[in-house]
Amino acid sequence: MPELPEVETTRRGIEPHLRGQRVARVIVRHPQLRWPIPTDLAAQLTGHVISEVQRRAKYLLLPFAHGQLIMHLGMSGSLRIVPAAQPVKKHDHVDIELSSGQALRFTDPRRFGAVLWQPTDTELHPLLADLGPEPLTDEFNGAYLFERSRGRSAAVKTFLMDGHIVVGVGNIYANEALFSAGIRPDRAAGKISLARYEALAQEVKVVLARSIKQGGTTLRDFVGGDGNPGYFRQQLQVYGRGGEACVICATVLDEVRLGQRSTVYCRRCQR
DNA sequence: ATAATCACCTGCTCGC
DNA sequence: TGCGAGCAGGTGATTA
């Protein structure tokens, strides 16, 4: 379910409940996620105090002196703070119980998510090593996109969703940002001008920031760490609206597949 | 190196 | 009401 705004919403929701808490117990009910949960996870975490929750791309990180916990929500994952005694449901795979009596509960029906442990000794974890810049930093801008895209024939939407180029822009926000920037999603990335990439970078930042402010986009059942849904859905201009009227010019929005992902755009507003 | 496809897994919606 | 097909917020691995 989550793109960057949903992950950041989760981070902000859970951090106040985790900060300063000691891990009392770790329960792994279903270790088979995208990769197996390390068998020593409980041994690594139990008794240690959580200092903060960081985010890099769509990964949530709990740093400790002796290593870090890496979590990813995949397509359908969520993390919530619940009373440790709250009965579990079908897809509640992991509980990290805290000294407060609450637990951080990892739920993920499709199990595309991940819970990993990385000891401190090694360098950057391979999953984090080759990631592009964070979209909400100055490092990510039109000039950067322009430079990285030269010579590339792939569709600009696919390019924008490539985590090696920039992290955190998933299918929803790629569709939205391209609409706001007036760029057709299937245009070759290498043939777009600097000026248009400046607009695109700007719109990526705007749409992500706005969504974070509203607690993310709840499509099916996304809830932040506090259990509240996100309210950005009602502001989506193209995602999920194929066949409906463009909010700008009322032209019927086209829906096509690009790199196996549903892609919606206005053939009149986006060129 | 880049591009396209596959794979992982469950649940839901749609059409018959 | 039941059933198969297709699709869903991600992304590493594999293949040309």
Side-chain angles (χ1 to χ4, degrees):
Chain A
M1 53 171 82
E3 294 193 31
L4 189 144
E6 291 72 47
V7 178
E8 178 61 22
T9 295
T10 297
R11 191 194 70 76
R12 294 180 185 184
I14 65 178
E15 185 175 49
H17 301 273
L18 298 182
R19 197 184 276 275
Q21 291 296 311
R22 188 175 299 279
V23 175
R25 186 163 70 138
V26 176
I27 303 172
V28 176
R29 301 186 185 84
H30 196 143
Q32 206 55 53
L33 301 179
R34 176 151 197 196
W35 298 281
I37 294 177
T39 50
D40 66 345
L41 184 73
Q44 295 291 358
L45 291 178
T46 305
H48 293 273
V49 173
I50 300 168
S51 59
E52 63 178 320
V53 183
Q54 302 172 342
R55 178 187 60 75
R56 172 71 175 113
K58 296 170 189 167
Y59 294 94
L60 289 169
L61 311 171
L62 299 198
F64 297 88
H66 64 303
Q68 71 177 160
L69 182 69
I70 301 176
M71 295 181 287
H72 195 289
L73 302 178
M75 288 274 263
S76 59
S78 63
L79 280 168
R80 300 188 57 185
I81 299 291
V82 299
Q86 180 166 305
V88 294
K89 296 209 247 181
K90 190 172 180 186
H91 301 294
D92 295 340
H93 304 316
V94 181
D95 276 8
I96 297 175
E97 294 182 3
L98 309 167
S99 36
S100 63
Q102 295 187 301
L104 178 66
R105 181 162 287 177
F106 179 89
T107 305
D108 185 7
R110 291 178 74 178
R111 289 189 275 120
F112 287 177
V115 177
L116 301 168
W117 175 257
Q118 179 190 28
T120 293
D121 52 290
T122 45
E123 315 85 53
L124 209 45
H125 191 280
L127 288 172
L128 306 175
D130 296 311
L131 297 175
E134 291 287 327
L136 295 175
T137 61
D138 292 343
E139 196 187 340
F140 174 72
N141 56 42
Y144 168 81
L145 281 178
F146 180 75
E147 185 249 312
R148 290 298 305 268
S149 62
R150 291 311 89 180
R152 300 189 59 150
S153 62
V156 60
K157 175 160 175 272
T158 310
F159 173 74
L160 188 61
M161 291 176 67
D162 182 346
H164 302 285
I165 302 302
V166 58
V167 301
V169 185
N171 199 35
I172 296 177
Y173 300 109
N175 277 296
E176 294 298 313
L178 285 162
F179 175 78
S180 296
I183 300 172
R184 273 181 67 118
D186 59 353
R187 180 128 292 176
K191 294 173 64 178
I192 292 175
S193 71
L194 173 59
R196 307 192 79 206
Y197 270 126
E198 281 171 348
L200 181 57
Q202 179 60 27
E203 295 305 334
V204 167
K205 290 173 192 280
V206 167
V207 72
L208 291 177
R210 280 178 54 216
S211 182
I212 290 171
K213 197 168 282 184
Q214 312 221 7
T217 301
T218 291
L219 251 34
R220 295 187 172 72
D221 52 1
F222 173 80
V223 287
D226 56 1
N228 293 318
Y231 295 100
F232 193 68
R233 180 179 193 173
Q234 47 214 98
Q235 308 201 21
L236 297 176
Q237 305 198 82
V238 285
Y239 181 85
R241 297 193 62 244
E244 297 177 33
C246 171
V247 295
I248 303 293
C249 73
T251 300
V252 173
L253 295 174
D254 288 314
E255 178 153 12
V256 299
R257 296 196 78 72
L258 224 48
Q260 337 270 73
R261 311 302 296 258
S262 143
T263 301
V264 184
Y265 67 97
C266 173
R267 79 179 84 90
R268 178 147 174 229
C269 296
Q270 295 172 259
R271 307 274 175 169

